[in-house]
Amino acid sequence: MVSLRRRPLFTPIPSADNLLRMRRIAITNLKGGVGKTTTAVNLAAGLARRLEPQGERVLLVDLDPQVEASASSWLAAPQGSPMFLEALLERGDLYDLVSPSPVPGLDLIPGHPSLARAEIMLAGEPGSEAAFQRCIQSLPDRWRVAIFDTPPAQGWLMHSALAAASDVLVVIESGAMALGSLVGLDRVIRLVRERLNPQLELFGVLQSRADTRTRLYREVAELLAEQFGPQAMQTVIRSDVRLLEAPGHRQDIFTYAPSSRAAQDFEQLAAEVAQRLDLGR
Ligand SMILES: Nc1ncnc2c1ncn2[C@@H]1O[C@H](COP(=O)(O)OP(=O)(O)O)[C@@H](O)[C@H]1O
Ligand SMILES: [Mg+2]
């Protein structure tokens, strides 16, 4: 049974001060299985490893109701809570759901299956996609970067993540279908920017599960550079079986296989993202 804390009838609109400092990166693609969750977990872990010595922290927020394959079950499987949905309904605090992760400097807000009902429960409320943004705004100023892992399909949860984000990192599976998976996403990003969040920026397009020895890979890389210029990420995440194994051990790639090429790739990705966000070191 969920305990509901009584709230005043009119809660004050939270100040957006903490959002000035916290970069919020939504990891998206309209498709599943492209490496979004893998990127969310290991980019968050890589950034936390870099930032923790400077006394800064990273927050990973899991917006995927399919928790078995989600970022939060990848790391230490903290129990998610239906209070996430209650927080969206303004009957609870997202802050109560923050739990430490095994990675120093990284905190988690785990997803929960009940998130799948959020859209239905909030249907009819004006601007309901701003509910998650409001929850994020009400968090204390404790994290330098937040990473949002999103569900594979377009819908309320993805739009909510984009409404609350400052940046979008699009993950594509390297290969013949790579650019095809971007069709539609540019329109979604444009509409979110126009209607919900004018500050939203395309941070980057990242190739994942790449086989860098193939001609196809080089062709995709050239096309991305042509189409996205500086937003085509320099880092590429290569295919590595260690990334298939790590979630079963509930460990990020730096803990599970520190000398793997996947760990090297995510180290490089964290460095590239930190540099572009001007996070120092
Ligand atoms: N670079 C990679 N090399 C090998 N396997 C990968 C790689 N990236 C992701 N995977 C595997 O592919 C599957 C889907 O990845 P996931 O990150 O869950 O995708 P999404 O979140 O987009 O649905 C998982 O089994 C994951 O372990
Ligand atoms: Mg996923």
Side-chain angles (χ1 to χ4, degrees):
M1 195 51 200
V2 179
S3 71
L4 301 180
R5 209 187 293 160
R6 281 222 162 267
R7 294 229 137 197
L9 189 54
F10 296 106
T11 45
I13 293 173
S15 97
D17 284 359
N18 67 338
L19 298 192
L20 295 177
R21 233 178 69 83
M22 181 167 75
R23 292 295 284 260
R24 293 146 281 130
I25 308 177
I27 313 286
T28 47
N29 189 305
L30 300 182
K31 276 181 57 178
V34 295
K36 287 187 299 297
T37 296
T38 304
T39 302
V41 168
N42 294 297
L43 172 59
L47 285 172
R49 282 159 48 93
R50 298 180 75 81
L51 293 178
E52 202 256 348
Q54 307 165 23
E56 303 268 28
R57 301 189 70 80
V58 176
L59 178 65
L60 175 59
V61 187
D62 188 357
L63 280 160
D64 193 345
Q66 288 190 317
V67 289
E68 313 77 49
S70 74
S72 37
S73 67
W74 178 317
L75 285 177
Q79 286 293 308
S81 159
M83 285 306 286
F84 198 149
L85 178 61
E86 296 301 321
L88 293 174
L89 298 170
E90 295 192 21
R91 298 192 298 217
D93 234 327
L94 202 58
Y95 184 54
D96 294 342
L97 302 179
V98 176
S99 46
S101 85
V103 181
L106 178 63
D107 300 307
L108 270 177
I109 297 184
H112 190 268
S114 62
L115 283 176
R117 295 204 306 273
E119 180 170 16
I120 299 159
M121 295 190 69
L122 283 157
E125 285 191 9
S128 68
E129 285 103 338
F132 176 61
Q133 180 188 40
R134 190 187 164 96
C135 290
I136 293 292
Q137 277 174 0
S138 68
L139 292 173
D141 178 15
R142 184 162 302 168
W143 297 278
R144 190 70 182 85
V145 182
I147 305 277
F148 305 150
D149 190 24
T150 63
Q154 197 186 155
W156 190 88
L157 287 165
M158 183 193 283
H159 300 161
S160 298
L162 294 176
S166 53
D167 302 88
V168 194
L169 177 62
V170 179
V171 178
I172 60 173
E173 186 173 355
S174 179
M177 312 297 268
L179 294 180
S181 74
L182 293 175
V183 174
L185 190 58
D186 55 345
R187 181 166 182 271
V188 174
I189 294 173
R190 179 173 60 76
L191 291 180
V192 169
R193 201 184 277 144
E194 282 171 16
R195 296 175 182 173
L196 293 167
N197 178 7
Q199 269 93 46
L200 187 66
E201 298 281 350
L202 176 64
F203 181 80
V205 180
L206 173 72
Q207 277 198 81
S208 158
R209 312 190 70 168
D211 181 350
T212 50
R213 295 162 305 184
T214 62
R215 193 162 82 188
L216 180 60
Y217 160 76
R218 286 193 295 279
E219 284 171 8
V220 172
E222 275 166 28
L223 271 171
L224 285 179
E226 214 175 278
Q227 213 168 320
F228 295 99
Q231 267 111 13
M233 300 298 287
Q234 298 291 312
T235 307
V236 171
I237 308 298
R238 292 168 287 179
S239 277
D240 187 341
V241 70
R242 297 284 177 244
L243 286 169
L244 281 168
E245 297 164 357
H249 296 260
R250 307 223 177 276
Q251 286 173 338
D252 67 285
I253 197 64
F254 303 105
T255 310
Y256 177 67
S259 50
S260 63
R261 67 179 172 196
Q264 283 167 31
D265 291 349
F266 276 106
E267 168 82 47
Q268 194 189 326
L269 180 65
E272 186 179 355
V273 170
Q275 198 224 337
R276 296 220 353 228
L277 294 180
D278 207 10
L279 298 179
R281 188 173 121 172

